[in-house]
Amino acid sequence: MRALQIKAATAQHLGILNLGRVALYKLGLKAGLNPVRKLKAGIPLGPYFRPGKGAPDVRALGRAGWYDHGEAFGQPLYDLDQTAPQWLAGCLSGQTIAGADRDWWQISDFDPAVGDIKTVWEFSRFDWVLACAQHAAKGDQSALLRLNDWLADWLQANPPYKGPNWKCGQEASIRVMHLAMAAHLLGQVTDAEVGLLDVVEAHLKRIAPTVLYAMAQDNNHGTSEAAALFIGGSWLEANGRGIGRRFSGSGRKWLENRTRRLIDKDGSFSQYSLNYHRVMLDSFNMVELWRRKLELPSFSEVFYNRAAAASEWLRCMTQPSNGDGPNLGANDGARLLPLTDTDYRDYRPSVQLASVLFHSARAFAGEGEWNQPVYWLGLALPESQLPAQSSVQFDDGGYFVLRQASITALLRYPRFRFRPGQADALHLDFWVDGENWLRDAGSFSYNTEQRWLDYFPGAAAHNTVQFDDRDQMPRLSRFLFGAWLKARQVEPLVVSTRDQSCGAGYKDWKGAEHHRRVVLSGNSLKVTDRVGSFNSKAILRWRLKPGDWEVDVDAQRIHIDGFSLSITSDVAIKRFELVEGWESRYYQKKTPLPVLEIEIDQPSKLITTIEWTTA
């Protein structure tokens, strides 16, 4: 009975309308009623791009990534020659997906020989289109040849609506956005080649019939597909194709809808993920850039307010020294507007672009690769500068960010208006001088062995307390938890001249309780965890920066290179042990890291004191 109640409550959280949209999509696809199954189109013929008009900003630098070497999930794979990639094979396994010549809706998402279907989709996101366009804009004729040749090759391997690369509306949307940005870089927006417009139109016809399914996800699928419909539709219109009006109108409507629904007033996004927040923000960056380029009517005041808040949210999470940020929430390595050779974990280029577009100010001062998107896209760098990052509470989304000079602490607490992707309630991330000392695990893969599907989203992969070897919420499916947690006893952020403090707690579906209070003062961070009402044991974990940590069990202390962490408890500690855990900073790659585990068997107040020296 309890299981049924949890499922019913979860269904209510997801929304009856959304569940109905998903059911109708699946039924319509299976029965052949959805018009997407009736789509047919010939292979668009090139040329798709011609030599660029004008020259980019002299400060705009050509990229090596995806021009000199292939990339996947933010990492280089191999040196490139002029040969096009294998579009229908997994970029890691090299195995071609079975039945790749069939209609897309006949192909399974899961092929054991290939592995994660995202490894097939990765090269078909057209990151290389942007890289080729950048080099071609600088006058490299071989880059233009490669751009046209690879597009022709891709279309031969992926004729409209055939094969795995047409399965996902969001993947099709990313291609549309990248083609549009390439046309912008080459000065070919309002006089695009016929073949290129044919490619865009074929994609929009694929996206439009299934857009309600994307909206039912309440995530970046909806924002990406709305952005592609708006950009692609208005592009067709600007080139005399009247069919574009329907697509652009739908895109504008859904952009406004998704902005109001998925982005909170404080800038928090529905996915509770740093990387997917950037995916959404880059979509909005491209939308606004495109609107200005075609001199289209502005969006609503709510759209711009929420976009500006979302930009500021990501800036507050980013380390200004290196652009990195907490490995918060689901992370598949996506970077939607890769115009620089920076690591994908460097969020500064996206934040700088969004700040210029939505704040008319710089997020980061001086010269650096964070300015490259601004230069490439023909924008002016404003003179004004946003205020320095400071401590902030994002209560709509459930985040405290404590900042003090080069110190950052992030406390995550449950404010689940949308489905949680990870059991990360009361996770604490901690940074000193841009180094992540206490860290989140990431995602690793969405299609892998069950033990990793359980581990990476689970409580054991976060700096929090795990009760009785179970997760904080029961898992209902691969991507869905039930019995969503609710925050209790939230202590608002308080900043004084002496210290900063915040706190929050929860009670889970089995009655276990956890409250965490954090105080930052000088070179010390004090974390007080009160736990109770569990069955047999509770384990507090601190997931540490890799290194040769020294352990003093008697003193219940560990230390390394001017950084120490010690534990006190009002009950006997059964186990104080450094064990091996795992993290995934890049999708499809996992590496070991040390994890301190503190185990108790009765209600307790645990105090963790962290001390350090700064550079």
Side-chain angles (χ1 to χ4, degrees):
M1 178 62 73
R2 184 63 195 277
L4 287 175
Q5 290 174 335
I6 288 174
K7 290 180 179 179
T10 304
Q12 187 174 10
H13 282 307
L14 293 173
I16 301 303
L17 179 60
N18 282 341
L19 294 175
R21 285 170 172 169
V22 171
L24 284 174
Y25 164 78
K26 291 182 176 180
L27 178 63
L29 200 60
K30 186 175 182 178
L33 300 176
N34 191 305
V36 76
R37 281 190 50 172
K38 299 178 175 63
L39 291 175
K40 295 185 184 300
I43 297 176
L45 301 177
Y48 311 101
F49 292 96
R50 59 186 181 276
K53 296 187 300 183
D57 191 306
V58 294
R59 295 167 294 182
L61 304 175
R63 291 174 59 218
W66 250 126
Y67 195 74
D68 295 338
H69 56 259
E71 291 183 349
F73 310 116
Q75 296 189 96
L77 283 184
Y78 45 70
D79 290 336
L80 276 180
D81 54 25
Q82 292 295 324
T83 305
Q86 299 180 57
W87 308 116
L88 302 174
C91 62
L92 302 181
S93 69
Q95 297 294 311
T96 301
I97 201 162
D101 58 344
R102 293 177 293 170
D103 293 321
W104 66 263
W105 44 267
Q106 295 177 316
I107 299 172
S108 171
D109 285 349
F110 304 102
D111 184 332
V114 174
D116 194 333
I117 196 171
K118 291 178 70 65
T119 66
V120 179
W121 292 344
E122 183 72 3
F123 288 172
S124 293
R125 289 191 157 189
F126 286 8
D127 288 8
W128 51 269
V129 166
L130 291 172
C132 288
Q134 286 175 290
H135 282 265
K138 286 285 191 178
D140 184 348
Q141 291 303 304
S142 65
L144 184 67
L145 288 173
R146 184 192 294 189
L147 176 54
N148 281 307
D149 288 348
W150 281 21
L151 272 174
D153 191 74
W154 188 90
L155 287 161
Q156 287 295 323
N158 300 272
Y161 321 127
K162 301 282 186 180
N165 289 311
W166 290 96
K167 279 188 65 65
C168 179
Q170 178 171 230
E171 298 300 315
S173 298
I174 293 171
R175 290 195 288 273
V176 169
M177 287 187 273
H178 284 170
L179 289 170
M181 292 302 105
H184 178 67
L185 293 172
L186 293 170
Q188 297 169 32
V189 172
T190 55
D191 58 349
E193 293 287 338
V194 171
L196 179 57
L197 295 173
D198 288 343
V199 174
V200 172
E201 185 173 330
H203 277 74
L204 298 184
K205 288 178 177 177
R206 161 64 187 89
I207 298 163
T210 61
V211 72
L212 289 181
Y213 174 72
M215 301 309 157
Q217 309 307 309
D218 276 341
N219 61 16
N220 63 71
H221 282 250
T223 56
S224 298
E225 294 187 31
L229 288 170
F230 173 77
I231 290 171
S234 57
W235 192 6
L236 294 180
E237 262 194 289
N239 283 273
R241 297 198 180 191
I243 192 175
R245 186 174 296 108
R246 172 167 60 90
F247 296 129
S248 64
S250 174
R252 180 181 284 269
K253 178 189 79 171
W254 284 114
L255 280 166
E256 293 283 7
N257 176 281
R258 295 296 86 183
T259 300
R260 285 174 166 82
R261 176 165 174 79
L262 304 184
I263 304 175
D264 290 312
K265 291 181 180 179
D266 69 5
S268 302
F269 181 52
S270 65
Q271 284 187 276
Y272 315 119
S273 157
L274 208 70
N275 209 54
Y276 284 154
H277 191 105
R278 177 172 62 182
V279 168
M280 171 273 294
L281 190 60
D282 274 340
S283 297
F284 282 31
N285 284 340
M286 287 186 275
V287 161
E288 176 59 12
L289 177 83
W290 194 258
R291 186 201 65 77
R292 295 185 187 185
K293 177 69 178 177
L294 293 182
E295 299 181 345
L296 300 172
S298 298
F299 291 95
S300 68
E301 183 178 358
V302 171
F303 176 91
Y304 290 111
N305 287 342
R306 299 286 172 90
S311 169
E312 191 64 2
W313 185 97
L314 190 55
R315 184 174 80 100
C316 288
M317 297 287 180
T318 299
Q319 295 295 306
S321 61
N322 56 20
D324 204 351
N327 208 0
L328 177 74
N331 182 357
D332 66 356
R335 179 164 58 161
L336 221 58
L337 191 54
L339 295 175
T340 75
D341 276 326
T342 53
D343 189 281
Y344 101 97
R345 295 192 60 85
D346 186 344
Y347 291 87
R348 290 173 298 180
S350 292
V351 173
Q352 185 81 320
L353 178 59
S355 296
V356 169
L357 288 169
F358 300 118
H359 288 279
S360 298
R362 304 183 191 210
F364 306 102
E367 279 300 327
E369 287 195 281
W370 51 86
N371 290 330
Q372 284 298 305
V374 178
Y375 296 150
W376 273 111
L377 297 171
L379 298 170
L381 272 175
E383 291 296 326
S384 59
Q385 174 88 26
L386 290 173
Q389 294 162 312
S390 60
S391 299
V392 62
Q393 178 179 359
F394 297 105
D395 191 53
D396 291 337
Y399 312 92
F400 290 107
V401 181
L402 279 62
R403 283 190 176 273
Q404 174 189 282
S406 63
I407 308 303
T408 308
L410 165 70
L411 177 61
R412 174 82 176 105
Y413 61 101
R415 290 288 198 214
F416 297 140
R417 192 161 64 91
F418 299 94
R419 57 178 172 171
Q422 298 200 346
D424 61 354
L426 305 188
H427 166 82
L428 183 74
D429 231 71
F430 186 66
W431 299 69
V432 179
D433 295 327
E435 290 288 336
N436 194 186
W437 284 89
L438 303 178
R439 49 182 62 185
D440 203 331
S443 297
F444 176 48
S445 175
Y446 300 153
N447 182 12
T448 184
E449 299 172 57
Q450 190 61 48
R451 62 173 178 148
W452 300 121
L453 291 174
D454 292 338
Y455 176 78
F456 279 95
H462 298 92
N463 295 320
T464 188
V465 174
Q466 183 180 28
F467 297 112
D468 301 319
D469 293 326
R470 59 178 169 80
D471 266 331
Q472 299 168 332
M473 298 170 284
R475 187 180 292 277
L476 303 183
S477 68
R478 184 187 296 253
F479 298 114
L480 183 62
F481 286 103
W484 297 359
L485 300 174
K486 294 182 179 180
R488 306 172 70 194
Q489 298 176 312
V490 176
E491 302 176 26
L493 174 67
V494 175
V495 179
S496 70
T497 56
R498 184 170 55 88
D499 59 28
Q500 306 177 37
S501 65
C502 62
Y506 69 84
K507 180 178 182 179
D508 75 12
W509 93 106
K510 289 198 172 182
E513 297 180 83
H514 180 197
H515 185 275
R516 170 167 282 180
R517 188 169 191 270
V518 177
V519 179
L520 174 63
S521 178
N523 281 22
S524 172
L525 185 77
K526 182 179 177 181
V527 184
T528 303
D529 290 300
R530 297 178 183 272
V531 297
S533 301
F534 53 92
N535 185 23
S536 61
K537 67 177 177 179
I539 299 176
L540 168 64
R541 290 185 177 88
W542 293 116
R543 302 169 48 80
L544 307 165
K545 175 185 172 185
D548 296 324
W549 291 83
E550 295 185 35
V551 181
D552 186 339
V553 176
D554 293 334
Q556 294 172 351
R557 178 178 180 269
I558 61 171
H559 62 95
I560 185 177
D561 299 334
F563 187 99
S564 70
L565 186 154
S566 59
I567 305 289
T568 61
S569 171
D570 59 359
V571 302
I573 292 178
K574 289 194 63 178
R575 183 168 60 90
F576 182 94
E577 183 180 11
L578 205 61
V579 302
E580 183 179 72
W582 294 88
E583 68 173 342
S584 177
R585 290 174 57 79
Y586 298 86
Y587 193 68
Q588 290 287 339
K589 182 178 181 180
K590 63 181 186 298
T591 53
L593 85 169
V595 180
L596 178 63
E597 293 189 345
I598 302 97
E599 182 179 337
I600 55 175
D601 60 3
Q602 54 188 307
S604 172
K605 180 173 77 172
L606 293 159
I607 298 177
T608 303
T609 302
I610 301 165
E611 297 176 307
W612 62 90
T613 57
T614 54

